[in-house]
């Protein structure tokens, strides 16, 4: 590449895949121009980051691999979003994997930006990954309590999946009640298991979008901003405008 200008080299590098990085690093680092050597150094840092991410994703599949080794073939990771808010549903997702999808940036949904959550959400939905989403609304939360309503949403997400998992791993420390699947609880599972992390993203994005729709119906409450959580803005709106059909009465005893 000695006959190419720095700009031409940059253009080539920017359109290259990371599989090509190592060969470019070897070539560019031998160039006499300092500006070209800096490009090689930048590529080296990018390659290190890619390898680090690949290693992280492989480590997030260790739980699933251990279950494969026990003879299970389809592992269902289950997580929920929306246990704590004063309004709106609790949403669960079940993601069933038979291999590591290696989705860049996948993690506990609380650690991922909204932009990246949306990207990962679309990646999951546009792939061959099997998933199901279950919802339990505010009326069911008031009737059954939040824990049982969460279990109900989880069971619905498992039932909605197009394939039946032969083992369930669920985020947290409480097993799902009244299901026939063998299961295991994984504390902080959305950071340790890629199937639970996928479920975390699906549940979070689905619920956020539902709350944005409610924000159009009840614009004075700001549901698009706080998603139903008990923020100062939300509580002030409740005191000023009263409650809506999506509010959880059992959560408002000390507020309204």
């Amino acid at each position: 590449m000695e006959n190419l200008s720095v700009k031409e080299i940059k253009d080539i590098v920017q359109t290259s895949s990371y599989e090509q990085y190592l060969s470019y690093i070897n070539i560019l680092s031998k160039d006499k121009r300092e500006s070209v050597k800096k490009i090689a150094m930048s590529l080296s840092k990018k390659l290190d980051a890619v390898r680090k991410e690949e290693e992280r994703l492989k480590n997030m599949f260790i739980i699933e691999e251990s279950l494969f080794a026990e003879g299970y073939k389809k592992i269902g990771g289950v997580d929920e979003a929306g246990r704590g808010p004063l309004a709106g549903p609790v949403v669960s997702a079940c993601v069933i994997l038979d291999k590591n999808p290696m989705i860049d940036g996948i993690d506990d949904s609380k650690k991922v930006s909204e932009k990246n959550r949306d990207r990962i959400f679309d990646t999951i939905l546009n792939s061959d990954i099997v998933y199901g989403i279950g919802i339990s609304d505010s009326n069911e939360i008031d009737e059954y309590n939040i824990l049982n309503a969460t279990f109900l949403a989880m069971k619905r997400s498992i039932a909605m999946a197009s394939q039946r998992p032969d083992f369930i791993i669920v985020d947290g420390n409480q097993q799902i009640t009244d299901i026939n699947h063998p299961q295991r609880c994984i504390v902080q599972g959305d950071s340790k298991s890629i199937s639970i992390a996928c479920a975390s993203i699906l549940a979070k994005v689905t619920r956020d979008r539902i709350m944005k729709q409610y924000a159009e119906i009840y614009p004075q409450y700001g549901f698009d901003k706080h998603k139903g959580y008990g923020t100062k803005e939300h509580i002030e709106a409740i005191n000023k405008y009263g409650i809506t059909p999506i509010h959880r009465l059992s959560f408002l005893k000390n507020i309204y």
Side-chain angles (χ1 to χ4, degrees):
M1 292 189 174
E2 291 182 356
N3 295 327
L4 298 177
S5 68
V6 174
K7 182 181 183 305
E8 288 172 328
I9 292 172
K10 284 183 178 179
D11 290 341
I12 292 172
V13 166
Q14 286 176 354
T15 58
S16 64
S17 64
Y18 82 90
E19 290 88 352
Q20 299 173 295
Y21 283 5
L22 188 57
S23 60
Y24 282 135
I25 291 168
N26 290 333
I27 294 170
L28 299 178
S29 61
K30 297 174 184 177
D31 197 290
K32 295 178 181 179
R33 292 168 290 181
E34 288 299 320
S35 55
V36 175
K37 289 181 179 180
K38 287 182 180 179
I39 297 173
M41 187 176 295
S42 175
L43 278 182
S44 180
K45 290 180 180 179
K46 288 182 180 179
L47 183 58
D48 286 344
V50 168
R51 288 173 172 170
K52 185 177 180 180
E53 176 66 1
E54 285 184 343
E55 188 64 24
R56 187 185 71 85
L57 293 176
K58 288 177 182 177
N59 288 335
M60 286 186 72
F61 203 61
I62 289 175
I63 293 171
E64 286 83 351
E65 286 181 331
S66 68
L67 291 167
F68 292 149
E70 293 179 27
Y72 299 104
K73 298 183 183 301
K74 295 186 183 298
I75 313 303
V78 177
D79 200 4
E80 53 72 31
R83 282 199 191 194
L86 306 179
V90 59
V91 177
S92 172
C94 174
V95 171
I96 301 171
L97 299 179
D98 55 11
K99 61 183 179 181
N100 193 338
M102 297 292 286
I103 300 174
D104 182 51
I106 188 75
D107 205 338
D108 172 4
S109 63
K110 295 183 290 296
K111 298 178 181 178
V112 181
S113 69
E114 182 176 2
K115 180 180 178 180
N116 280 327
R117 285 198 302 266
D118 287 339
R119 173 184 60 81
I120 295 167
F121 181 92
D122 291 339
T123 297
I124 294 171
L125 264 59
N126 293 325
S127 70
D128 59 357
I129 292 174
V130 176
Y131 69 92
I133 294 174
I135 297 172
S136 187
D137 65 23
S138 56
N139 292 326
E140 291 174 320
I141 292 169
D142 286 336
E143 181 175 356
Y144 302 123
N145 75 45
I146 184 59
L147 179 60
N148 290 324
T150 299
F151 287 150
L152 181 59
M154 288 178 169
K155 286 181 277 192
R156 286 170 175 166
S157 70
I158 296 168
M160 287 298 293
S162 60
Q163 296 179 18
R164 180 183 173 87
D166 50 14
F167 197 97
I168 294 292
I169 49 177
V170 57
D171 183 48
N173 58 7
Q174 293 177 302
Q175 291 194 354
I176 306 169
T177 57
D178 300 322
I179 62 171
N180 296 323
H181 305 75
Q183 60 179 306
R184 182 182 302 166
C185 295
I186 310 292
V187 176
Q188 295 182 340
D190 40 13
S191 295
K192 299 175 182 177
S193 156
I194 203 163
S195 59
I196 295 178
C198 286
S200 173
I201 295 288
L202 290 188
K204 171 66 173 169
V205 173
T206 298
R207 188 181 188 282
D208 283 357
R209 292 180 179 181
I210 289 172
M211 296 310 294
K212 288 178 182 178
Q213 291 174 344
Y214 280 132
E216 296 179 3
I217 301 172
Y218 309 106
Q220 64 269 43
Y221 291 87
F223 288 133
D224 55 324
K225 298 176 183 177
H226 52 68
K227 308 302 187 295
Y229 283 88
T231 64
K232 180 181 178 182
E233 175 191 4
H234 187 189
I235 292 172
E236 287 177 350
I238 292 172
N239 289 328
K240 183 175 182 179
Y241 301 109
I243 58 174
T244 70
I246 69 164
H247 276 101
R248 304 172 182 181
L249 299 181
S250 54
F251 279 49
L252 297 176
K253 293 177 181 178
N254 297 326
I255 299 172
Y256 182 74

